[in-house]
């Protein structure tokens, strides 16, 4: 029987604070600091990005089917950018993924799903999620790369947008 679900366990442990040294490059702006992702309970994740001095850049709450901006820096407070960040972080923290199709190439399993009405492909090699691609009409729009994986922690995560100038680099410091 084919799988109907896969699990992303990278941000699934409520007992952990996931802390990453982060650089977000968006058009001509560069933001650096710390990104903290916390699973609050089974229905909520909190994603907070601060400067290294502790000033908030943004603070988002993700619920099972809802999203809330608790705070965002004026320079970033643009509906389009907020929506893109919301989509990106939702993909990162989504644990239970319903799949609509599965493929296999060499030793990589590829699982197709839809998140926010957009097609995503999860690449799993040796039972480890190492890439997610959001595609539209067969073209890669966003690539999520997970590397330096230890247990359920991806120590390095890169999110690269191909259609806009946005790149997010996360390096675990815990």
């Amino acid at each position: 029987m084919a799988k109907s679900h896969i699990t992303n366990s990278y941000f699934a442990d409520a007992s952990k604070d996931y802390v990453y040294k982060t650089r977000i490059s968006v058009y001509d702006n560069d933001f650096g600091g710390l990104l903290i992702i916390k699973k609050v309970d089974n229905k909520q994740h909190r994603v907070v990005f601060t400067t290294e001095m502790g000033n908030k850049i943004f603070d988002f709450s993700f619920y099972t089917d809802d999203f809330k901006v608790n705070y965002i820096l004026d320079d970033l407070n643009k509906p389009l950018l907020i929506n893109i960040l919301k989509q990106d972080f939702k993909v990162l923290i989504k644990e239970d993924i319903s799949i609509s199709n599965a493929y296999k190439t060499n030793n990589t399993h590829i699982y197709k799903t839809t998140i926010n009405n957009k097609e995503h492909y999860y690449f799993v090699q040796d039972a480890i999620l190492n890439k997610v691609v959001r595609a539209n009409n067969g073209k890669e729009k966003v690539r999520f790369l997970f590397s330096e994986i230890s247990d359920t922690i991806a120590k390095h995560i890169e999110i690269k947008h191909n259609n806009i100038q946005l790149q997010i680099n996360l390096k675990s410091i815990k």
Side-chain angles (χ1 to χ4, degrees), residues 8 10-11 20 88 91-92 108 121-125 128-134 140 142-149 153-162 167-172:
N8 171 8
Y10 287 141
F11 300 100
Y20 288 85
D88 286 355
V91 168
L92 273 188
T108 302
Y121 296 86
Y122 283 70
F123 291 74
V124 177
Q125 190 171 14
I128 295 171
L129 174 64
N130 58 26
K131 180 166 71 168
V132 178
V133 170
R134 187 176 84 220
E140 183 178 293
V142 185
R143 179 186 313 144
F144 300 75
L145 292 176
F146 304 91
S147 58
E148 299 173 46
I149 298 161
I153 306 231
K155 295 191 184 205
H156 187 253
I157 300 170
E158 179 185 7
I159 303 170
K160 172 109 174 73
H161 287 256
N162 294 326
Q167 187 162 340
I168 301 172
N169 281 296
L170 309 173
K171 193 121 182 105
S172 177

Side-chain angles (χ1 to χ4, degrees), residues 71-85:
Y71 175 84
I72 191 158
L73 197 66
D74 284 343
D75 289 351
L76 298 175
N77 196 358
K78 298 178 177 34
L80 178 65
L81 183 59
I82 291 170
N83 193 43
I84 290 167
L85 291 170

